[in-house]
Amino acid sequence: MTRSISIFIRQGDRSPKTLNLRISCGAVDWQVWSMAQICNQFSFLPSIIEQLDIQVSTLVATWQVDMEDTQWLELFRPFTAVRTLRIGRELQSLIVPALQELTGERVVEVLPALDSLYLEEYQPSGSDQQAIEPFVAARQYSDRPVTAHQWER
């Protein structure tokens, strides 16, 4: 079964412009790489987007993933105006560790305008909070705070 990762992009609350980018191929790392390449080709686009939703379009029982955290960071790097990032539950365990890689000055190099992070399976008092806490703390320390929320689709 071919799985696909989708990115839904909306430009601000007042202007409901949406772009749905879906890449379908066998491996997650190729999907993420392909999305990063497309977003980098349209360099004007990521710099005006304020909300980015990323999720799996096809539910699969098992999903073998062999990719580097840096691939997610490269995908997010062009989105300099994103204030809200919403991550579907299927990708949460892949993206949160990538965000944890951002420490020190690097924490504002990716998604510098981010102030709201929505995780579909987020439990503020459990392991989800512990997983995202290093990223949230690093952003707080850099004077660019981020608040984590549960994403209710």
Side-chain angles (χ1 to χ4, degrees):
M1 172 185 283
T2 301
R3 299 162 290 282
S4 62
I5 295 177
S6 293
I7 292 183
F8 299 92
I9 301 170
R10 179 178 295 155
Q11 181 184 354
D13 294 332
R14 296 185 195 129
S15 178
K17 298 174 186 168
T18 302
L19 168 69
N20 178 358
L21 175 61
R22 179 179 293 176
I23 305 291
S24 297
C25 60
V28 176
D29 59 339
W30 280 100
Q31 292 176 41
V32 173
W33 181 85
S34 297
M35 284 187 182
Q37 297 304 308
I38 291 167
C39 291
N40 283 319
Q41 291 299 314
F42 296 100
S43 59
F44 70 93
L45 184 63
S47 64
I48 62 171
I49 301 302
E50 295 179 4
Q51 179 177 316
L52 179 63
D53 299 352
I54 185 163
Q55 57 194 359
V56 173
S57 297
T58 307
L59 294 177
V60 217
T62 60
W63 196 355
Q64 297 295 325
V65 179
D66 183 27
M67 64 182 287
E68 300 289 324
D69 291 341
T70 56
Q71 289 178 274
W72 289 108
L73 301 179
E74 287 305 312
L75 174 61
F76 295 143
R77 191 172 307 280
F79 292 95
T80 56
V82 166
R83 297 188 61 195
T84 302
L85 174 62
R86 300 190 314 181
I87 303 169
R89 78 174 168 271
E90 302 88 357
L91 296 174
Q92 197 169 306
S93 64
L94 301 174
I95 296 174
V96 168
L99 295 175
Q100 289 174 343
E101 296 289 317
L102 298 171
T103 57
E105 293 177 5
R106 292 184 55 223
V107 75
V108 292
E109 289 177 5
V110 177
L111 303 168
L114 185 68
D115 57 25
S116 294
L117 175 62
Y118 288 84
L119 304 170
E120 191 169 3
E121 299 254 325
Y122 181 69
Q123 297 299 321
S125 60
S127 61
D128 297 330
Q129 182 183 16
Q130 291 174 350
I132 200 63
E133 185 58 33
F135 175 70
V136 171
R139 289 293 295 237
Q140 181 73 31
Y141 184 74
S142 70
D143 290 328
R144 301 250 178 102
V146 170
T147 305
H149 310 273
Q150 183 172 2
W151 180 17
E152 297 179 18
R153 283 199 253 182

